[in-house]
Amino acid sequence: MKAECVRDLNRKYLVMTDDSDGYQTEMLLRNKAEGFIPVKKIDWDNEIRLYYDITGKQSLDKGFVKRKISYQELSELLYSISCQVKECKRLFLDVSGIVLSPEYIYMDLSNDRFYWIFYPCNKDSHEIMDLAEYLLEHIDNSNHAAVRTVYELYRRAKEGSIDAENLYEILKAEKEEEETVSQEVSDSIQNSKKAVIKEKEMHKSKIEKAIDRLFDSLKSKLAERKPPEKEFEYENFDNELREEDDIVADTEFGTVLITLPEGNSRKLISRDNSIPDAKLDFFPCVLGSRQDCVDILLNDRSVSRMHAQIDEAQGRLYLYDLNSTNGTFVNGQRIKSEEYEIKEGDEIQIGNVRFVLA
C-alpha cells in the first residue's frame, strides 16, 4: 500500500490512489462515518486519489517513541477497532478496508482517541501481524494482563486465526478470566481468614483469655495515669529553628554539585528568552508541548503536543516533523515528515520557537 503526505495551506493529508469500483468510496463520502478519518476524492490526470485529513493527529508508530502502551490504552485501541467494524457493517463497507498498520493508525493527543483510515483497495494481509509485533515491542511489560493479551494476539496472528472482527474478543476473554481469577482469589482469602479466626477461637485456652483480660486492665490503668499533654510552645520552637539555621549557616562544608564534562553532546541554543536552552544527550529526542510524551518540553501555544523529533545515525543528526499543525523549519524552510539532516549553526524553528544547533 503506497501513500504520501502532502500539505495544503494549514492542512495535512495522507494521499492514496483509489482503483476500486467506487461503491465503497461513495458510501464513505456520502455518510458520516464515526471514527474514520475524513476523506475527499480528487480526480488527478484520470487517476482517483483519496485525501485523508490527518491534520493535528499523530500516527501510532510515532506516538509511543518515549513511553510504553498501558493496558488502558491497549483496551481502548482494541475496543476502537471493534467500533469501526460495527461502523463498516452499518455502512455496508468491507471490514478489510480498515487499515491496521501502526504507521496508518492515528491518535488525537488532545483527547487520546484513535482514528482510522478506511481504504477500499486495502489488500495487505500482513497488517495484523505488523500490529501484533508493534504492540509486543511497545506494551508496558509491568502489566501482566497487557502482556498476556498482546501475546495471545501475536500467537493467533501468527497462526492466521484472527482478523479485525475478532480482535476485541481476545481482550474480552482476558478481562473475563482476570475477573474470574480475582473473584476466586478474593473468595479464597475470605474463606482462609474465617477458617483461621475460627480455629484460633476454638483453641484459645482459658489462660490466654485471662492474660488478655489482664493486659486490657493494665492498659486502662496506664491510660488513667497518663499526664495531660503539654501545650506546644511555638515561640520556643521558632527559637530552636533559628538556632539550627545558624548552625547550618556556620558549617564549614556545604553540599557540592558535581558536574560531569559535557563531552561531545549537542545543544539547542534558544533565541527566545522565555524558552531555555536544551541539551541533546540521547536519541531519539522528541520536542513538543505534552509533558508525558516528549523529552524537551516547549511551553508555547504554537507548538503541537508531539511536534518534532531529532534522531542520530552514524554521527549525523536528522530532524523530523511529527505532523505538527504549525510546521517545523530549518533555516526558514519548512520541512516535511521525512528526515532532514541538520548541522551545527542551523536555525531550527518549532512552531514559533527558534533554536540554533550548537
Side-chain angles (χ1 to χ4, degrees):
M1 183 170 58
K2 294 181 179 180
E4 62 174 329
C5 289
V6 299
R7 281 195 176 273
D8 178 15
L9 297 177
N10 292 325
R11 313 303 297 178
K12 188 171 184 179
Y13 297 94
L14 185 73
V15 183
M16 298 181 181
T17 302
D18 181 13
D19 55 6
S20 66
D21 58 12
Y23 166 75
Q24 295 193 87
T25 303
E26 289 302 318
M27 289 296 291
L28 199 62
L29 292 170
R30 295 183 182 186
N31 295 277
K32 184 180 179 182
E34 188 68 29
F36 285 115
I37 291 177
V39 61
K40 61 181 180 180
K41 182 178 71 172
I42 295 178
D43 191 343
W44 186 273
D45 289 340
N46 295 322
E47 183 179 67
I48 301 299
R49 294 185 180 182
L50 301 178
Y51 283 66
Y52 297 91
D53 189 348
I54 57 173
T55 307
K57 295 179 176 61
Q58 191 60 253
S59 61
L60 183 68
D61 65 332
K62 294 289 194 300
F64 292 95
V65 173
K66 306 310 300 182
R67 62 190 180 96
K68 294 294 185 180
I69 300 173
S70 68
Y71 185 47
Q72 177 66 27
E73 288 166 328
L74 174 66
S75 301
E76 290 172 357
L77 175 70
L78 298 182
Y79 176 71
S80 181
I81 294 174
S82 72
C83 291
Q84 299 319 118
V85 169
K86 293 177 182 177
E87 194 69 358
C88 282
K89 292 181 177 180
R90 183 181 73 84
L91 298 175
F92 302 101
L93 301 174
D94 190 341
V95 173
S96 65
I98 304 173
V99 180
L100 298 175
S101 295
E103 62 183 312
Y104 298 127
I105 298 173
Y106 288 89
M107 301 182 295
D108 186 338
L109 296 179
S110 66
N111 55 22
D112 290 326
R113 286 189 60 186
F114 292 98
Y115 290 87
W116 305 86
I117 296 286
F118 182 88
Y119 182 48
C121 307
N122 188 28
K123 297 176 182 177
D124 190 348
S125 59
H126 300 288
E127 281 185 342
I128 289 186
M129 177 56 77
D130 292 342
L131 178 61
E133 289 177 347
Y134 177 84
L135 293 174
L136 203 60
E137 183 178 350
H138 291 84
I139 197 67
D140 178 8
N141 293 328
S142 65
N143 189 297
H144 294 168
V147 173
R148 286 195 302 268
T149 301
V150 170
Y151 181 77
E152 178 64 14
L153 192 159
Y154 175 79
R155 184 186 69 79
R156 292 182 60 179
K158 200 170 182 179
E159 292 176 351
S161 60
I162 192 170
D163 55 27
E165 294 194 54
N166 51 30
L167 270 173
Y168 187 60
E169 298 303 318
I170 294 177
L171 182 67
K172 286 177 63 178
E174 171 60 35
K175 285 184 177 292
E176 289 171 1
E177 182 178 348
E178 188 177 8
E179 289 174 1
T180 302
V181 171
S182 177
Q183 186 61 46
E184 289 176 354
V185 170
S186 178
D187 292 344
S188 176
I189 291 173
Q190 290 299 323
N191 291 334
S192 297
K193 283 183 177 178
K194 290 178 182 178
V196 169
I197 292 171
K198 187 174 181 181
E199 186 177 353
K200 282 185 176 180
E201 289 296 327
M202 290 175 61
H203 292 85
K204 199 169 189 181
S205 65
K206 293 181 180 179
I207 295 175
E208 287 176 321
K209 291 181 180 179
I211 290 173
D212 286 345
R213 287 195 296 272
L214 179 60
F215 184 70
D216 291 338
S217 175
L218 285 172
K219 283 201 299 182
S220 300
K221 290 179 180 179
L222 286 173
E224 292 172 0
R225 294 178 183 179
K226 188 176 180 182
E229 291 187 2
K230 186 179 179 181
E231 186 176 352
F232 190 78
E233 297 180 0
Y234 289 96
E235 183 178 351
N236 293 337
F237 181 68
D238 289 339
N239 292 334
E240 289 174 8
L241 281 179
R242 279 193 286 272
E243 289 174 5
E244 289 181 7
D245 289 342
D246 292 339
I247 292 172
V248 173
D250 294 337
T251 303
E252 183 178 357
F253 300 101
T255 303
V256 178
L257 176 64
I258 301 175
T259 57
L260 298 175
E262 293 187 8
N264 295 322
S265 64
R266 305 291 185 88
K267 182 184 285 188
L268 294 175
I269 307 297
S270 175
R271 289 201 163 186
D272 187 339
N273 293 332
S274 64
I275 301 293
D277 297 344
K279 286 186 178 181
L280 299 174
D281 292 329
F282 52 86
F283 303 98
C285 181
V286 179
L287 301 87
S289 60
R290 176 164 167 170
Q291 190 167 7
D292 64 333
C293 293
V294 302
D295 302 297
I296 298 177
L297 181 65
L298 303 177
N299 287 317
D300 189 276
R301 295 184 66 181
S302 67
V303 177
S304 296
R305 292 171 178 82
M306 290 180 67
H307 196 111
Q309 177 177 313
I310 298 176
D311 212 341
E312 186 269 342
Q314 299 180 344
R316 296 182 176 183
L317 295 186
Y318 295 92
L319 179 65
Y320 302 80
D321 180 74
L322 297 178
N323 196 23
S324 65
T325 300
N326 293 313
T328 303
F329 301 80
V330 176
N331 299 326
Q333 178 183 350
R334 187 168 191 164
I335 69 171
K336 299 181 180 180
S337 299
E338 293 78 15
E339 65 182 31
Y340 189 101
E341 185 176 356
I342 52 176
K343 300 177 181 178
E344 187 175 342
D346 282 347
E347 183 183 80
I348 298 168
Q349 184 175 336
I350 311 295
N352 291 332
V353 179
R354 294 185 302 158
F355 296 98
V356 173
L357 180 63

